[in-house]
């Protein structure tokens, strides 16, 4: 009996610890939490600070062998982006002997309520203690309404797994697989990289297949969800939002009848927006057409990296591939509840990652409301 009770108590203890661990992983970790940790910990080197980061950050990451950031990256001394379970906070570091940026953490913090990305640097103060402070001059590379620079699916130049999370073939550099193998062979003995959880396992796989963990896709998908909400906020801040919000929803939900969202005298033809093509699906994009006609900088809406495939971003402005339109619709409906009168928004899970989806139930009713908002003779286009 005593033995049985011990077993029961052991099982209960395990379940309690498991539940506490699960709750801990669900708790947000923000720049405010990190700043408080820095105050308490008196950290004087980044190695110890990286080791102290939550486990769920150190097991979700992607690795760059080429960088245009403040932190240098090389094939054998790459830059690491930790992004956790949601990518609402990204923490980047490089090798302790990196050419530049090796005494900094670069941090991007997403503010869900405001739908904005804030930038921070963690670096030593005059006394040698690490402190967090707002980033300076970030808008030069990250656009005035700051956002991460990350290429759309499925090509991430400079990252291991650069071509659709494959290590060879396609657009990958021929040396990529060898570089990664060399880095992994030494990482476990290096002060910062040794804290990456499951490095060898996550990047395992046949060279021509995707890696076991699809790092590029995961980060793209997560960032895209945050950026759709940011786009909804940016559009809603425009003076013409009340007039055009129905047309915006139609643009991502009613592509075949999008032209009916405008008064007859100003109705665009499909030919007039045929130059705006979706790179991924080969379809015309009413969203890009409308952005162009309203003189909105669609590059700034995207997460496109300046100078990388500069002409290709127009086809993937919404970011994550074939489901981007309903995901954008879901964020428009969440941001402006009045739009829910024309459809429904719901949670959707994809490869253990959550998204907010939207579905317009009656495009005829939505486009009629758009025509009424714009009005005949409004010179809406």
């Amino acid at each position: 009996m005593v033995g049985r009770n011990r077993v029961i108590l052991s099982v209960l203890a395990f379940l309690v610890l498991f539940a506490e661990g699960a709750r801990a992983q669900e708790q947000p970790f923000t720049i405010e939490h990190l700043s408080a940790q820095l105050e308490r910990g008196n950290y004087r080197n980044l190695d110890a600070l990286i080791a102290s980061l939550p486990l769920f950050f150190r097991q979700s990451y992607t690795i760059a062998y080429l960088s245009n950031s403040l932190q240098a990256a090389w094939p054998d001394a790459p830059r690491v982006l930790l992004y956790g379970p949601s990518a609402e906070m990204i923490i980047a570091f490089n090798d302790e002997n990196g050419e530049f940026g090796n005494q900094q953490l670069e941090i991007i913090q997403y503010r869900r309520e405001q739908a904005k990305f804030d930038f921070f640097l963690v670096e030593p103060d005059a006394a040698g203690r690490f402190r967090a402070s707002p980033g300076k001059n970030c808008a030069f590379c990250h656009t005035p309404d700051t956002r991460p620079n990350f290429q759309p699916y499925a090509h991430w130049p400079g990252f291991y797994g650069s071509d659709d999370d494959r290590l060879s073939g396609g657009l990958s550099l021929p040396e990529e697989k060898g570089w990664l193998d060399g880095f992994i062979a030494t990482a476990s003995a290096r002060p910062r990289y040794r804290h990456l959880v499951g490095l060898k396992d996550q990047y395992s796989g046949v060279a021509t297949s995707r890696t076991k963990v699809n790092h590029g896709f995961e980060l793209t998908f997560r960032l895209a969800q945050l950026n759709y909400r940011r786009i909804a906020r940016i559009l809603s801040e425009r003076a013409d939002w009340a007039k055009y919000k129905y047309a915006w929803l139609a643009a991502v939900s009613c592509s075949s009848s999008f032209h009916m969202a405008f008064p007859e005298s100003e109705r665009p033809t499909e030919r007039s927006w045929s130059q705006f093509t979706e790179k991924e699906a080969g379809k015309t994009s009413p969203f890009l057409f409308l952005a162009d006609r309203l003189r909105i900088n669609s590059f700034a809406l995207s997460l496109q990296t300046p100078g990388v495939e500069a002409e290709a971003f127009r086809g993937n402005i919404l970011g994550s591939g074939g489901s981007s339109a309903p995901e954008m619709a879901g964020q428009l409906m969440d941001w402006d509840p009045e739009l829910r009168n024309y459809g429904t928004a719901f949670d959707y899970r994809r490869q253990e990652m959550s998204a907010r989806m939207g579905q317009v139930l009656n495009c005829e009713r939505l486009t009629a409301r758009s025509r009424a908002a714009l009005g005949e003779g409004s010179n809406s286009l």
Side-chain angles (χ1 to χ4, degrees), residues 235-261:
L235 296 180
S236 73
E237 290 173 346
R238 290 176 52 87
D240 57 8
W241 172 246
K243 286 174 57 177
Y244 280 98
K245 61 182 180 180
Y246 312 102
W248 283 115
L249 184 57
V252 293
S253 302
C254 308
S255 59
S256 62
S257 58
F258 166 68
H259 60 292
M260 296 300 294

Side-chain angles (χ1 to χ4, degrees), residues 106-131:
E106 288 189 291
I107 295 175
I108 302 176
Q109 175 68 63
Y110 185 73
R111 308 294 191 185
R112 179 164 288 276
E113 291 302 313
Q114 296 81 23
K116 292 185 176 183
F117 291 98
D118 289 336
F119 285 62
F120 297 88
L121 277 180
V122 171
E123 54 190 348
D125 60 16
R129 293 186 59 180
F130 281 87
R131 308 284 189 184

Side-chain angles (χ1 to χ4, degrees), residues 16 34 74 121 123 143 153 163 172 180 188 190 219 228 235 255 272 275 293 308 318 324 354 361 365:
V16 168
L34 181 59
W74 299 95
L121 277 180
E123 54 190 348
T143 76
Y153 179 82
D163 185 66
S172 302
L180 178 62
S188 62
R190 297 167 72 174
L219 182 54
Y228 300 146
L235 296 180
S255 59
S272 67
Q275 62 178 307
R293 286 306 182 93
V308 180
L318 297 183
S324 60
S354 61
L361 302 178
R365 182 166 168 261

Side-chain angles (χ1 to χ4, degrees), residues 107-357:
I107 295 175
I108 302 176
Q109 175 68 63
Y110 185 73
R111 308 294 191 185
R112 179 164 288 276
E113 291 302 313
Q114 296 81 23
K116 292 185 176 183
F117 291 98
D118 289 336
F119 285 62
F120 297 88
L121 277 180
V122 171
E123 54 190 348
D125 60 16
R129 293 186 59 180
F130 281 87
R131 308 284 189 184
S133 60
K136 299 177 181 179
N137 304 317
C138 299
F140 182 77
C141 294
H142 294 271
T143 76
D145 194 294
T146 50
R147 45 58 161 186
N149 293 333
F150 201 70
Q151 294 298 97
Y153 179 82
H155 184 216
W156 305 283
F159 284 83
Y160 286 121
S162 60
D163 185 66
D164 201 9
D165 287 306
R166 294 181 174 89
L167 295 173
S168 67
L171 299 174
S172 302
L173 294 180
E175 303 90 349
E176 194 169 306
K177 179 67 166 62
W179 287 343
L180 178 62
D181 289 343
F183 164 65
I184 290 176
T186 65
S188 62
R190 297 167 72 174
R192 297 180 184 177
Y193 302 126
R194 63 190 176 96
H195 302 300
L196 298 176
V197 178
L199 175 62
K200 185 175 181 179
D201 182 58
Q202 289 195 27
Y203 277 95
S204 64
V206 180
T208 55
S209 67
R210 292 183 178 90
T211 52
K212 184 174 181 179
V213 175
N214 301 153
H215 304 86
F217 172 79
E218 282 195 1
L219 182 54
T220 298
F221 186 90
R222 289 180 167 98
L223 284 178
Q225 310 313 307
L226 308 182
N227 195 46
Y228 300 146
R229 186 170 177 82
R230 169 180 167 267
I231 292 173
R233 188 259 304 164
I234 291 173
L235 296 180
S236 73
E237 290 173 346
R238 290 176 52 87
D240 57 8
W241 172 246
K243 286 174 57 177
Y244 280 98
K245 61 182 180 180
Y246 312 102
W248 283 115
L249 184 57
V252 293
S253 302
C254 308
S255 59
S256 62
S257 58
F258 166 68
H259 60 292
M260 296 300 294
F262 302 92
E264 185 174 1
S265 61
E266 301 165 2
R267 193 163 294 161
T269 63
E270 184 172 352
R271 182 177 181 182
S272 67
W273 76 71
S274 62
Q275 62 178 307
F276 302 95
T277 59
E278 290 289 354
K279 178 184 175 186
E280 183 68 20
K283 298 178 181 178
T284 57
S285 173
F287 185 95
L288 293 175
F289 169 82
L290 187 53
D292 187 76
R293 286 306 182 93
L294 295 180
R295 295 180 173 83
I296 295 174
N297 181 359
S298 52
F299 178 88
L301 295 183
S302 77
L303 300 178
Q304 180 76 26
T305 303
V308 180
E309 294 184 351
E311 297 303 316
F313 82 93
R314 297 183 68 86
N316 262 323
I317 186 172
L318 297 183
S320 67
S323 63
S324 60
E327 289 162 4
M328 185 70 243
Q331 291 300 338
L332 289 172
M333 291 179 185
D334 276 355
W335 196 260
D336 190 325
E338 197 272 333
L339 291 176
R340 297 177 204 164
N341 292 328
Y342 304 93
T344 181
F346 54 92
D347 290 327
Y348 169 76
R349 293 191 69 80
R350 179 178 180 183
Q351 294 187 14
E352 300 184 354
M353 294 179 288
S354 61
R356 191 70 171 156
M357 306 286 275

